[in-house]
Amino acid sequence: MFTGDNVGLILSIAAPCFLIYLVFHTGMAHDDFKKNGIRTIAKINNIKQISTSGTGSPKCVFMLSFTTQDGQEITLEKTQVVSVLDMMPLERERKVNIYYKKENLKKVWLILESESRIK
């Protein structure tokens, strides 16, 4: 039977395993975008901060527009937590590098300044 000790033990094992899974899953999704995605520059039409993460980074909704290789104009909303340091150039320049996939044009990966410095 389950007792309080067993539940604590199960949670102490499950929580780190779940975090490891999230890290690998995010990394695999990022690698998939870099390998199979198409890189372009998106115009930022609007930035709306909707909340703040526990570390103080703003969670924002970005209204983006970009043109595909086929000449199709795409407009979409992307919600993402960004650091304050990444936010400053986005607000100033109103553009961001992105990866998109031909199969699903509404799914994009923002290439932020902090990520572009990491090779």
Side-chain angles (χ1 to χ4, degrees):
M1 291 191 91
F2 287 111
T3 63
D5 293 336
N6 291 342
V7 172
L9 177 64
I10 290 170
L11 287 176
S12 67
I13 293 171
C17 290
F18 181 70
L19 289 174
I20 291 169
Y21 163 77
L22 285 178
V23 168
F24 279 105
H25 177 70
T26 302
M28 287 184 344
H30 184 260
D31 290 344
D32 184 46
F33 266 98
K34 286 177 80 173
K35 188 167 101 176
N36 301 318
I38 300 167
R39 187 174 178 154
T40 190
I41 297 175
K43 179 183 174 195
I44 301 173
N45 300 320
N46 190 26
I47 303 173
K48 179 179 167 187
Q49 183 174 342
I50 55 174
S51 65
T52 305
S53 72
T55 60
S57 296
K59 182 175 185 178
C60 299
V61 176
F62 297 93
M63 178 66 76
L64 305 173
S65 61
F66 65 96
T67 305
T68 65
Q69 286 180 332
D70 304 334
Q72 185 179 2
E73 184 71 28
I74 304 295
T75 301
L76 59 90
E77 286 186 354
K78 171 74 174 171
T79 303
Q80 186 164 329
V81 174
V82 294
S83 73
V84 175
L85 292 175
D86 284 329
M87 190 66 173
M88 291 186 307
L90 294 177
E91 288 179 328
R92 182 177 56 247
E93 297 170 12
R94 292 294 188 173
K95 63 182 179 177
V96 63
N97 288 305
I98 62 166
Y99 285 110
Y100 71 91
K101 290 190 176 180
K102 254 185 175 175
E103 312 85 53
N104 187 357
L105 298 174
K106 296 288 184 178
K107 194 168 187 176
V108 299
W109 188 281
L110 302 182
I111 306 168
L112 302 173
E113 288 289 321
S114 59
E115 292 176 8
S116 64
R117 286 189 298 264
I118 300 171
K119 299 291 180 198

